[in-house]
Amino acid sequence: MATGRTRFLVSYDISDSKRLRMVHKCVKNYGWSMQYSVFICDLDSVEIVMLKQDLSSIIHHGEDSVAFINLGPPANRGQDCFDFMGLRTALPTSGPTVI
């Protein structure tokens, strides 16, 4: 059974445009886009495993890279973890609905 949520920063570098679009669509199902290849995802322990499995079937493990940065519990909504230069990106205030 899933427990509390953890806020992850998910970022990727995909070398093929077709896989890039597939990865973007996949991660978008789990969180909010900050920039094209940077997402905020509030996930429970089952959802992070599902996201990693979904991505594992898309990426080329010898050419592509996906980073998962654990920002801790989203109780404070992770606002303190971010410092912006230029336009400030709005951060999510509620958990996602995983599709």
Coordinates of all heavy atoms in Angstrom, one line a residue:
M1 N 0.8 -1.2 0.0 CA 0.0 0.0 0.0 C 0.9 1.2 0.0 O 1.9 1.3 0.7 CB -0.9 0.0 1.2 CG -1.8 1.1 1.3 SD -3.0 0.9 2.6 CE -4.0 2.3 2.4
A2 N 0.5 2.2 -0.8 CA 1.3 3.4 -0.9 C 1.2 4.3 0.3 O 0.1 4.3 0.9 CB 0.8 4.2 -2.1
T3 N 2.2 5.0 0.7 CA 2.2 5.9 1.8 C 2.3 7.3 1.3 O 1.8 7.6 0.3 CB 3.4 5.5 2.8 OG1 4.6 5.6 2.1 CG2 3.2 4.1 3.4
G4 N 3.0 8.2 2.1 CA 3.0 9.6 1.8 C 3.7 9.9 0.5 O 4.4 9.0 -0.1
R5 N 3.6 11.1 0.1 CA 4.2 11.5 -1.2 C 5.5 12.2 -1.0 O 5.8 12.7 0.1 CB 3.3 12.5 -1.9 CG 2.0 11.9 -2.4 CD 1.2 12.9 -3.2 NE 0.1 12.2 -3.8 CZ 0.1 11.4 -4.9 NH1 1.3 11.1 -5.4 NH2 -0.9 10.8 -5.3
T6 N 6.4 12.1 -2.0 CA 7.7 12.7 -2.1 C 7.7 13.6 -3.3 O 7.2 13.2 -4.4 CB 8.8 11.7 -2.1 OG1 8.7 10.9 -0.9 CG2 10.2 12.3 -2.1
R7 N 8.3 14.8 -3.2 CA 8.4 15.7 -4.3 C 9.8 15.4 -5.0 O 10.8 15.4 -4.4 CB 8.4 17.1 -3.9 CG 8.6 18.1 -5.1 CD 8.1 19.5 -4.8 NE 6.6 19.4 -4.9 CZ 5.9 20.5 -4.8 NH1 6.4 21.7 -4.5 NH2 4.6 20.4 -4.9
F8 N 9.7 15.1 -6.3 CA 10.9 14.8 -7.1 C 11.0 15.9 -8.2 O 10.0 16.3 -8.8 CB 10.7 13.4 -7.8 CG 10.8 12.3 -6.9 CD1 9.7 11.7 -6.3 CD2 12.1 11.7 -6.6 CE1 9.8 10.7 -5.5 CE2 12.2 10.6 -5.8 CZ 11.0 10.1 -5.2
L9 N 12.2 16.3 -8.5 CA 12.5 17.0 -9.7 C 13.0 16.0 -10.7 O 13.9 15.2 -10.4 CB 13.7 18.0 -9.4 CG 14.1 18.9 -10.6 CD1 13.0 20.0 -10.8 CD2 15.4 19.5 -10.3
V10 N 12.3 15.9 -11.8 CA 12.7 14.9 -12.9 C 13.2 15.7 -14.1 O 12.5 16.6 -14.6 CB 11.5 14.0 -13.2 CG1 11.9 13.0 -14.3 CG2 10.9 13.3 -12.0
S11 N 14.4 15.4 -14.5 CA 15.0 16.1 -15.6 C 15.6 15.0 -16.6 O 16.0 14.0 -16.1 CB 16.1 17.0 -15.1 OG 16.7 17.7 -16.2
Y12 N 15.5 15.3 -17.9 CA 16.0 14.3 -18.8 C 16.8 15.0 -20.0 O 16.6 16.1 -20.3 CB 14.9 13.4 -19.3 CG 13.7 14.2 -19.9 CD1 13.7 14.7 -21.1 CD2 12.6 14.4 -19.0 CE1 12.5 15.4 -21.6 CE2 11.5 15.1 -19.5 CZ 11.5 15.5 -20.8 OH 10.4 16.2 -21.3
D13 N 17.7 14.1 -20.6 CA 18.4 14.5 -21.8 C 18.3 13.3 -22.7 O 18.9 12.3 -22.4 CB 19.9 14.8 -21.4 CG 20.7 15.3 -22.6 OD1 20.1 15.6 -23.7 OD2 21.9 15.3 -22.5
I14 N 17.5 13.4 -23.7 CA 17.2 12.3 -24.7 C 17.8 12.7 -26.0 O 17.5 13.7 -26.6 CB 15.7 12.1 -24.7 CG1 15.0 12.0 -23.3 CG2 15.3 10.9 -25.6 CD1 15.5 10.8 -22.5
S15 N 18.5 11.7 -26.6 CA 19.2 12.0 -27.8 C 18.4 11.9 -29.1 O 18.9 12.3 -30.2 CB 20.5 11.2 -27.9 OG 20.1 9.8 -27.9
D16 N 17.3 11.3 -29.1 CA 16.5 11.0 -30.3 C 15.1 11.8 -30.1 O 14.5 11.7 -29.1 CB 16.2 9.5 -30.4 CG 15.2 9.2 -31.5 OD1 15.7 9.2 -32.7 OD2 14.1 8.9 -31.2
S17 N 14.8 12.5 -31.2 CA 13.6 13.4 -31.1 C 12.3 12.6 -30.8 O 11.4 13.0 -30.1 CB 13.4 14.2 -32.3 OG 13.3 13.5 -33.5
K18 N 12.2 11.4 -31.4 CA 11.0 10.5 -31.2 C 10.9 10.1 -29.7 O 9.8 10.2 -29.1 CB 11.0 9.3 -32.1 CG 9.7 8.5 -31.9 CD 9.7 7.3 -32.9 CE 8.5 6.4 -32.7 NZ 8.6 5.2 -33.5
R19 N 12.0 9.6 -29.2 CA 12.0 9.2 -27.8 C 11.8 10.4 -26.9 O 11.2 10.3 -25.8 CB 13.3 8.5 -27.4 CG 13.5 7.1 -28.0 CD 14.6 6.3 -27.4 NE 15.9 7.0 -27.3 CZ 16.8 6.9 -28.2 NH1 16.6 6.3 -29.3 NH2 17.9 7.6 -28.0
L20 N 12.4 11.6 -27.2 CA 12.2 12.8 -26.5 C 10.7 13.1 -26.3 O 10.2 13.4 -25.2 CB 12.9 13.9 -27.1 CG 12.8 15.3 -26.5 CD1 13.4 15.3 -25.1 CD2 13.4 16.4 -27.4
R21 N 10.0 13.1 -27.4 CA 8.5 13.3 -27.3 C 7.8 12.3 -26.4 O 6.9 12.7 -25.7 CB 7.9 13.4 -28.7 CG 8.3 14.6 -29.5 CD 7.5 14.7 -30.8 NE 7.8 13.6 -31.7 CZ 8.8 13.5 -32.6 NH1 9.7 14.5 -32.6 NH2 8.9 12.5 -33.4
M22 N 8.2 11.1 -26.5 CA 7.6 10.0 -25.8 C 7.9 10.2 -24.3 O 7.0 10.0 -23.4 CB 8.0 8.6 -26.2 CG 7.5 8.3 -27.6 SD 8.3 6.8 -28.3 CE 7.7 5.5 -27.2
V23 N 9.1 10.5 -23.9 CA 9.5 10.7 -22.5 C 8.7 11.9 -22.0 O 8.2 11.9 -20.9 CB 11.0 10.9 -22.4 CG1 11.4 11.5 -21.0 CG2 11.7 9.6 -22.6
H24 N 8.7 13.0 -22.8 CA 7.9 14.2 -22.3 C 6.5 13.9 -22.0 O 6.0 14.2 -20.9 CB 8.0 15.3 -23.4 CG 7.3 16.6 -23.0 ND1 7.9 17.5 -22.2 CD2 6.1 17.0 -23.3 CE1 7.0 18.5 -22.0 NE2 5.9 18.2 -22.6
K25 N 5.8 13.1 -22.9 CA 4.4 12.8 -22.7 C 4.3 11.9 -21.5 O 3.4 12.0 -20.7 CB 3.9 12.0 -23.9 CG 2.5 11.6 -23.8 CD 2.0 11.0 -25.1 CE 0.5 10.6 -25.0 NZ 0.1 10.0 -26.2
C26 N 5.2 10.9 -21.3 CA 5.2 10.0 -20.1 C 5.3 10.8 -18.8 O 4.5 10.6 -17.9 CB 6.3 9.0 -20.2 SG 6.4 7.9 -18.8
V27 N 6.3 11.7 -18.7 CA 6.6 12.4 -17.4 C 5.4 13.4 -17.2 O 5.0 13.6 -16.0 CB 7.9 13.1 -17.4 CG1 8.2 13.8 -16.1 CG2 9.0 12.0 -17.6
K28 N 4.9 13.9 -18.2 CA 3.7 14.9 -18.1 C 2.5 14.2 -17.4 O 1.8 14.9 -16.7 CB 3.4 15.4 -19.5 CG 2.4 16.6 -19.4 CD 2.2 17.1 -20.8 CE 1.2 18.3 -20.8 NZ 1.0 18.8 -22.2
N29 N 2.4 12.9 -17.6 CA 1.3 12.2 -16.9 C 1.5 12.1 -15.4 O 0.6 11.7 -14.7 CB 1.2 10.7 -17.5 CG 0.6 10.7 -18.9 OD1 -0.1 11.6 -19.3 ND2 1.0 9.7 -19.7
Y30 N 2.7 12.3 -14.9 CA 3.0 12.2 -13.5 C 3.2 13.5 -12.8 O 3.3 13.5 -11.6 CB 4.2 11.3 -13.3 CG 4.0 9.9 -13.6 CD1 4.2 9.4 -14.9 CD2 3.6 9.0 -12.6 CE1 4.0 8.0 -15.2 CE2 3.4 7.6 -12.9 CZ 3.6 7.2 -14.2 OH 3.4 5.8 -14.5
G31 N 3.4 14.6 -13.5 CA 3.7 15.9 -12.8 C 3.5 17.1 -13.7 O 2.8 17.1 -14.7
W32 N 4.2 18.2 -13.2 CA 4.0 19.5 -13.9 C 5.3 19.9 -14.5 O 6.4 19.8 -13.9 CB 3.7 20.5 -12.8 CG 2.4 20.2 -12.1 CD1 1.2 20.7 -12.5 CD2 2.2 19.4 -11.0 NE1 0.2 20.2 -11.6 CE2 0.8 19.4 -10.6 CE3 3.1 18.7 -10.1 CZ2 0.3 18.7 -9.6 CZ3 2.5 18.0 -9.1 CH2 1.2 18.0 -8.8
S33 N 5.2 20.4 -15.7 CA 6.4 20.9 -16.5 C 6.8 22.3 -16.0 O 6.1 23.2 -16.0 CB 6.1 20.9 -18.0 OG 7.1 21.4 -18.7
M34 N 8.1 22.3 -15.5 CA 8.7 23.6 -15.2 C 9.3 24.3 -16.4 O 9.2 25.4 -16.7 CB 9.8 23.5 -14.1 CG 9.2 23.2 -12.7 SD 10.5 23.1 -11.5 CE 11.0 24.8 -11.5
Q35 N 10.0 23.4 -17.1 CA 10.6 23.8 -18.4 C 10.5 22.5 -19.3 O 10.0 21.5 -18.8 CB 12.1 24.1 -18.3 CG 12.3 25.4 -17.4 CD 13.8 25.7 -17.3 OE1 14.7 25.0 -17.7 NE2 14.0 26.9 -16.6
Y36 N 10.8 22.6 -20.5 CA 10.5 21.4 -21.4 C 11.0 20.1 -20.9 O 10.3 19.1 -20.9 CB 11.0 21.7 -22.8 CG 10.5 20.6 -23.8 CD1 9.2 20.6 -24.2 CD2 11.4 19.5 -24.1 CE1 8.7 19.6 -25.0 CE2 10.9 18.5 -24.9 CZ 9.6 18.5 -25.4 OH 9.1 17.5 -26.2
S37 N 12.2 20.0 -20.4 CA 12.7 18.7 -19.9 C 12.9 18.7 -18.4 O 13.7 17.9 -17.9 CB 14.0 18.4 -20.6 OG 15.0 19.4 -20.3
V38 N 12.2 19.5 -17.6 CA 12.3 19.6 -16.2 C 10.8 19.5 -15.6 O 10.0 20.4 -16.0 CB 13.0 20.8 -15.7 CG1 13.1 20.9 -14.2 CG2 14.4 20.9 -16.3
F39 N 10.6 18.6 -14.8 CA 9.3 18.4 -14.2 C 9.3 18.3 -12.7 O 10.3 17.9 -12.1 CB 8.6 17.1 -14.7 CG 8.1 17.2 -16.1 CD1 9.0 17.1 -17.2 CD2 6.7 17.3 -16.3 CE1 8.5 17.2 -18.4 CE2 6.2 17.3 -17.6 CZ 7.1 17.3 -18.7
I40 N 8.2 18.7 -12.0 CA 8.0 18.5 -10.6 C 7.0 17.4 -10.5 O 5.9 17.5 -11.1 CB 7.5 19.8 -9.9 CG1 8.5 20.9 -10.0 CG2 7.1 19.5 -8.5 CD1 9.8 20.6 -9.2
C41 N 7.3 16.4 -9.7 CA 6.3 15.2 -9.6 C 6.2 14.9 -8.1 O 7.2 14.6 -7.4 CB 6.8 14.0 -10.3 SG 7.1 14.2 -12.1
D42 N 5.0 15.0 -7.6 CA 4.7 14.6 -6.2 C 4.2 13.1 -6.3 O 3.0 12.9 -6.7 CB 3.7 15.5 -5.5 CG 4.2 16.9 -5.3 OD1 5.4 17.1 -5.3 OD2 3.3 17.8 -5.1
L43 N 5.0 12.2 -5.9 CA 4.7 10.8 -6.1 C 4.8 10.0 -4.8 O 5.6 10.2 -3.9 CB 5.7 10.2 -7.1 CG 5.8 10.9 -8.4 CD1 7.0 10.3 -9.3 CD2 4.5 10.9 -9.2
D44 N 3.9 8.9 -4.7 CA 4.1 8.0 -3.6 C 5.0 6.9 -4.1 O 5.5 6.9 -5.2 CB 2.7 7.5 -3.2 CG 1.9 6.6 -4.2 OD1 2.6 6.0 -5.1 OD2 0.7 6.6 -4.2
S45 N 5.3 5.9 -3.2 CA 6.3 4.9 -3.5 C 5.9 4.0 -4.7 O 6.8 3.5 -5.4 CB 6.5 4.0 -2.3 OG 5.3 3.4 -1.8
V46 N 4.6 3.8 -4.9 CA 4.2 3.0 -6.1 C 4.3 3.8 -7.4 O 4.8 3.3 -8.4 CB 2.8 2.5 -5.9 CG1 2.2 1.8 -7.2 CG2 2.7 1.6 -4.7
E47 N 4.0 5.1 -7.3 CA 4.0 5.9 -8.5 C 5.4 6.2 -9.0 O 5.7 6.2 -10.2 CB 3.3 7.3 -8.3 CG 1.8 7.1 -8.1 CD 1.2 8.3 -7.4 OE1 1.9 9.2 -6.8 OE2 -0.1 8.4 -7.6
I48 N 6.4 6.3 -8.1 CA 7.8 6.5 -8.6 C 8.3 5.3 -9.3 O 9.0 5.3 -10.3 CB 8.7 7.0 -7.5 CG1 10.1 7.3 -8.0 CG2 8.9 5.9 -6.4 CD1 10.2 8.5 -8.9
V49 N 7.9 4.1 -8.8 CA 8.3 2.8 -9.5 C 7.6 2.7 -10.8 O 8.3 2.4 -11.8 CB 7.9 1.6 -8.6 CG1 8.1 0.3 -9.3 CG2 8.8 1.6 -7.3
M50 N 6.3 3.1 -10.9 CA 5.6 3.1 -12.2 C 6.3 4.0 -13.2 O 6.5 3.7 -14.4 CB 4.2 3.4 -12.0 CG 3.3 2.4 -11.2 SD 1.7 3.0 -10.7 CE 1.1 3.8 -12.2
L51 N 6.6 5.2 -12.8 CA 7.2 6.2 -13.6 C 8.6 5.7 -14.2 O 8.8 5.7 -15.4 CB 7.5 7.5 -12.9 CG 8.3 8.6 -13.7 CD1 7.6 8.9 -15.0 CD2 8.4 9.9 -12.8
K52 N 9.4 5.1 -13.3 CA 10.7 4.6 -13.7 C 10.5 3.4 -14.7 O 11.3 3.3 -15.6 CB 11.5 4.2 -12.5 CG 12.0 5.4 -11.7 CD 12.8 5.0 -10.5 CE 13.4 6.2 -9.8 NZ 14.2 5.8 -8.6
Q53 N 9.5 2.6 -14.4 CA 9.3 1.4 -15.3 C 8.8 1.9 -16.7 O 9.3 1.5 -17.7 CB 8.2 0.5 -14.8 CG 8.7 -0.4 -13.6 CD 7.6 -1.2 -13.0 OE1 6.4 -0.9 -13.1 NE2 8.0 -2.3 -12.3
D54 N 7.9 2.9 -16.7 CA 7.4 3.5 -18.0 C 8.6 4.1 -18.8 O 8.7 3.9 -20.0 CB 6.4 4.6 -17.7 CG 5.0 4.0 -17.2 OD1 4.9 2.8 -17.2 OD2 4.2 4.8 -16.7
L55 N 9.4 4.9 -18.1 CA 10.5 5.5 -18.8 C 11.6 4.5 -19.2 O 12.2 4.6 -20.3 CB 11.2 6.6 -17.9 CG 10.4 7.8 -17.6 CD1 11.0 8.7 -16.5 CD2 10.2 8.6 -18.9
S56 N 11.8 3.5 -18.4 CA 12.8 2.4 -18.8 C 12.5 1.8 -20.1 O 13.4 1.4 -20.9 CB 12.9 1.4 -17.7 OG 13.9 0.5 -17.9
S57 N 11.2 1.6 -20.4 CA 10.8 1.0 -21.7 C 10.9 2.0 -22.9 O 10.8 1.5 -24.0 CB 9.3 0.5 -21.5 OG 8.4 1.5 -21.4
I58 N 11.1 3.2 -22.6 CA 11.1 4.2 -23.7 C 12.6 4.6 -24.0 O 13.0 4.7 -25.2 CB 10.4 5.5 -23.3 CG1 8.9 5.2 -23.1 CG2 10.6 6.6 -24.4 CD1 8.1 6.4 -22.5
I59 N 13.4 4.9 -23.0 CA 14.7 5.4 -23.2 C 15.7 4.4 -23.8 O 15.5 3.2 -23.6 CB 15.3 6.1 -22.0 CG1 15.7 5.1 -20.9 CG2 14.4 7.1 -21.4 CD1 16.5 5.6 -19.8
H60 N 16.8 4.9 -24.4 CA 17.9 4.1 -24.8 C 18.9 4.2 -23.7 O 19.5 5.3 -23.5 CB 18.5 4.6 -26.1 CG 19.6 3.7 -26.7 ND1 20.8 3.6 -26.1 CD2 19.6 2.9 -27.7 CE1 21.6 2.8 -26.7 NE2 20.8 2.3 -27.8
H61 N 19.1 3.1 -22.9 CA 19.9 3.2 -21.7 C 21.4 3.5 -22.0 O 22.1 4.0 -21.1 CB 19.8 1.9 -20.9 CG 18.4 1.7 -20.4 ND1 18.1 2.1 -19.1 CD2 17.3 1.3 -20.9 CE1 16.8 1.9 -18.8 NE2 16.3 1.4 -20.0
G62 N 21.9 3.4 -23.2 CA 23.2 3.7 -23.5 C 23.4 5.1 -24.1 O 24.5 5.6 -24.3
E63 N 22.3 5.8 -24.4 CA 22.4 7.2 -25.0 C 21.6 8.3 -24.2 O 22.0 9.4 -24.3 CB 21.8 7.1 -26.4 CG 22.5 6.3 -27.4 CD 21.8 6.2 -28.8 OE1 20.8 6.9 -29.0 OE2 22.3 5.4 -29.6
D64 N 20.6 7.9 -23.5 CA 19.7 8.9 -22.8 C 20.0 8.9 -21.3 O 20.6 8.0 -20.8 CB 18.3 8.5 -23.1 CG 17.9 8.4 -24.5 OD1 18.5 9.2 -25.3 OD2 17.0 7.7 -24.9
S65 N 19.5 10.0 -20.7 CA 19.7 10.1 -19.2 C 18.5 10.8 -18.6 O 17.9 11.7 -19.2 CB 20.9 11.1 -19.0 OG 21.0 11.3 -17.6
V66 N 18.0 10.2 -17.5 CA 16.9 10.7 -16.7 C 17.4 10.8 -15.3 O 17.9 9.9 -14.7 CB 15.7 9.8 -16.8 CG1 14.5 10.5 -16.0 CG2 15.2 9.6 -18.3
A67 N 17.2 12.0 -14.7 CA 17.6 12.2 -13.3 C 16.4 12.4 -12.5 O 15.4 13.1 -12.8 CB 18.5 13.5 -13.2
F68 N 16.4 11.8 -11.3 CA 15.3 11.9 -10.3 C 15.9 12.5 -9.0 O 16.7 11.8 -8.4 CB 14.7 10.5 -10.0 CG 14.2 9.8 -11.2 CD1 15.0 9.0 -11.9 CD2 12.8 9.9 -11.5 CE1 14.5 8.3 -13.0 CE2 12.3 9.2 -12.6 CZ 13.2 8.4 -13.4
I69 N 15.6 13.7 -8.7 CA 16.1 14.4 -7.5 C 15.0 14.5 -6.5 O 14.0 15.1 -6.7 CB 16.6 15.8 -7.9 CG1 17.8 15.7 -8.9 CG2 17.1 16.5 -6.7 CD1 17.4 15.9 -10.3
N70 N 15.3 13.8 -5.3 CA 14.4 13.7 -4.2 C 14.4 15.1 -3.5 O 15.4 15.4 -2.9 CB 14.7 12.6 -3.3 CG 13.8 12.4 -2.2 OD1 13.2 13.3 -1.7 ND2 13.6 11.1 -1.8
L71 N 13.3 15.8 -3.5 CA 13.2 17.1 -2.8 C 12.6 17.0 -1.4 O 12.3 18.0 -0.7 CB 12.5 18.1 -3.6 CG 13.1 18.4 -5.0 CD1 12.2 19.4 -5.8 CD2 14.5 19.0 -4.8
G72 N 12.2 15.7 -1.0 CA 11.6 15.5 0.3 C 10.1 15.6 0.2 O 9.5 15.8 -0.8
P73 N 9.5 15.5 1.4 CA 8.0 15.6 1.4 C 7.5 16.9 0.9 O 8.1 18.0 1.2 CB 7.7 15.4 2.9 CG 9.0 15.3 3.6 CD 10.1 15.4 2.7
P74 N 6.4 16.9 0.2 CA 5.9 18.2 -0.3 C 5.0 18.9 0.7 O 4.3 19.8 0.3 CB 5.0 17.7 -1.5 CG 4.6 16.3 -1.2 CD 5.7 15.8 -0.3
A75 N 5.2 18.6 2.0 CA 4.4 19.3 3.0 C 4.5 20.8 3.0 O 3.5 21.6 3.1 CB 4.7 18.8 4.4
N76 N 5.8 21.3 2.8 CA 6.0 22.7 2.6 C 5.9 23.1 1.1 O 6.3 24.2 0.8 CB 7.3 23.2 3.2 CG 8.5 22.7 2.5 OD1 8.4 21.9 1.5 ND2 9.7 23.1 2.9
R77 N 5.4 22.2 0.3 CA 5.3 22.3 -1.1 C 6.6 22.5 -1.8 O 6.6 22.9 -3.0 CB 4.3 23.4 -1.5 CG 2.9 23.3 -0.9 CD 2.2 22.0 -0.8 NE 2.2 21.2 -2.0 CZ 1.9 19.9 -2.1 NH1 1.7 19.3 -1.0 NH2 1.9 19.3 -3.2
G78 N 7.7 22.3 -1.1 CA 9.0 22.3 -1.7 C 9.4 23.7 -2.2 O 10.4 23.9 -2.9
Q79 N 8.8 24.7 -1.7 CA 9.0 26.1 -2.2 C 10.5 26.5 -1.8 O 11.1 27.3 -2.5 CB 8.0 27.1 -1.5 CG 6.6 26.8 -1.8 CD 6.2 26.8 -3.2 OE1 6.6 27.7 -4.0 NE2 5.3 26.0 -3.6
D80 N 11.0 26.1 -0.6 CA 12.3 26.5 -0.2 C 13.4 25.9 -1.0 O 14.6 26.4 -0.9 CB 12.5 26.1 1.3 CG 11.5 26.8 2.2 OD1 11.0 27.9 1.8 OD2 11.2 26.3 3.3
C81 N 13.2 24.9 -1.8 CA 14.2 24.3 -2.6 C 14.5 25.0 -3.9 O 15.5 24.7 -4.5 CB 13.8 22.9 -3.0 SG 13.4 21.8 -1.6
F82 N 13.7 26.0 -4.2 CA 13.9 26.7 -5.5 C 14.3 28.1 -5.4 O 13.7 28.8 -4.6 CB 12.6 26.6 -6.3 CG 12.2 25.2 -6.7 CD1 11.4 24.4 -5.9 CD2 12.7 24.6 -7.9 CE1 11.1 23.1 -6.2 CE2 12.4 23.3 -8.3 CZ 11.6 22.6 -7.4
D83 N 15.2 28.5 -6.2 CA 15.6 29.9 -6.4 C 15.6 30.2 -7.8 O 16.2 29.4 -8.6 CB 17.0 30.1 -5.7 CG 17.4 31.6 -5.7 OD1 16.5 32.4 -5.8 OD2 18.6 31.8 -5.5
F84 N 15.0 31.2 -8.3 CA 14.8 31.5 -9.7 C 15.6 32.8 -10.1 O 15.7 33.7 -9.3 CB 13.3 31.7 -10.1 CG 12.5 30.5 -10.0 CD1 11.9 30.1 -8.8 CD2 12.4 29.6 -11.1 CE1 11.1 29.0 -8.7 CE2 11.7 28.4 -11.0 CZ 11.0 28.1 -9.8
M85 N 16.0 32.8 -11.3 CA 16.6 34.0 -12.0 C 15.7 34.3 -13.1 O 15.3 33.4 -13.9 CB 18.0 33.6 -12.5 CG 19.0 34.6 -12.1 SD 20.5 33.9 -12.8 CE 21.6 35.1 -12.2
G86 N 15.3 35.5 -13.3 CA 14.3 35.8 -14.4 C 12.9 35.5 -14.0 O 12.6 35.6 -12.8
L87 N 12.1 35.0 -14.9 CA 10.7 34.6 -14.5 C 10.7 33.5 -13.6 O 11.4 32.5 -13.7 CB 10.0 34.3 -15.8 CG 9.8 35.4 -16.8 CD1 9.1 34.8 -18.1 CD2 9.0 36.5 -16.2
R88 N 9.9 33.6 -12.6 CA 9.7 32.5 -11.6 C 8.6 31.6 -12.1 O 7.5 32.0 -12.4 CB 9.3 33.1 -10.2 CG 9.0 32.1 -9.2 CD 8.7 32.7 -7.8 NE 8.4 31.7 -6.9 CZ 9.3 31.0 -6.1 NH1 10.6 31.3 -6.3 NH2 8.9 30.1 -5.3
T89 N 8.9 30.3 -12.1 CA 7.9 29.3 -12.5 C 7.0 29.0 -11.4 O 7.4 28.8 -10.3 CB 8.7 28.0 -13.0 OG1 9.5 28.4 -14.0 CG2 7.7 27.0 -13.4
A90 N 5.7 29.0 -11.6 CA 4.7 28.6 -10.6 C 4.9 27.1 -10.3 O 5.0 26.3 -11.1 CB 3.3 28.9 -11.1
L91 N 5.0 26.8 -9.0 CA 5.1 25.5 -8.5 C 3.8 24.9 -8.2 O 2.9 25.6 -7.8 CB 6.1 25.4 -7.3 CG 7.5 25.9 -7.6 CD1 8.3 25.9 -6.3 CD2 8.2 25.0 -8.6
P92 N 3.6 23.6 -8.3 CA 2.3 23.0 -8.0 C 2.0 23.1 -6.5 O 2.9 23.1 -5.7 CB 2.5 21.5 -8.4 CG 4.0 21.3 -8.4 CD 4.6 22.6 -8.7
T93 N 0.7 23.1 -6.2 CA 0.2 23.2 -4.8 C -0.6 22.0 -4.4 O -1.1 22.0 -3.3 CB -0.6 24.5 -4.6 OG1 -1.7 24.5 -5.5 CG2 0.3 25.7 -4.8
S94 N -0.8 21.1 -5.3 CA -1.5 19.8 -5.0 C -1.0 18.7 -5.8 O -0.3 18.9 -6.8 CB -3.0 20.0 -5.3 OG -3.2 20.2 -6.7
G95 N -1.2 17.5 -5.2 CA -0.7 16.3 -5.9 C -1.3 16.0 -7.2 O -2.4 16.5 -7.5
P96 N -0.7 15.2 -8.1 CA -1.2 14.9 -9.4 C -2.2 13.8 -9.4 O -2.3 13.1 -8.5 CB 0.1 14.5 -10.2 CG 0.9 13.8 -9.1 CD 0.6 14.6 -7.9
T97 N -2.9 13.7 -10.5 CA -3.7 12.5 -10.8 C -2.9 11.7 -11.8 O -2.8 12.2 -13.0 CB -5.1 12.9 -11.3 OG1 -5.7 13.7 -10.4 CG2 -5.9 11.6 -11.6
V98 N -2.4 10.6 -11.4 CA -1.6 9.8 -12.4 C -2.5 9.1 -13.3 O -3.5 8.5 -12.9 CB -0.7 8.7 -11.6 CG1 0.0 7.8 -12.6 CG2 0.2 9.4 -10.7
I99 N -2.2 9.3 -14.6 CA -3.1 8.7 -15.7 C -2.6 7.3 -16.1 O -1.4 7.1 -16.3 CB -3.1 9.7 -16.9 CG1 -3.7 11.0 -16.5 CG2 -3.9 9.1 -18.0 CD1 -3.6 12.1 -17.5

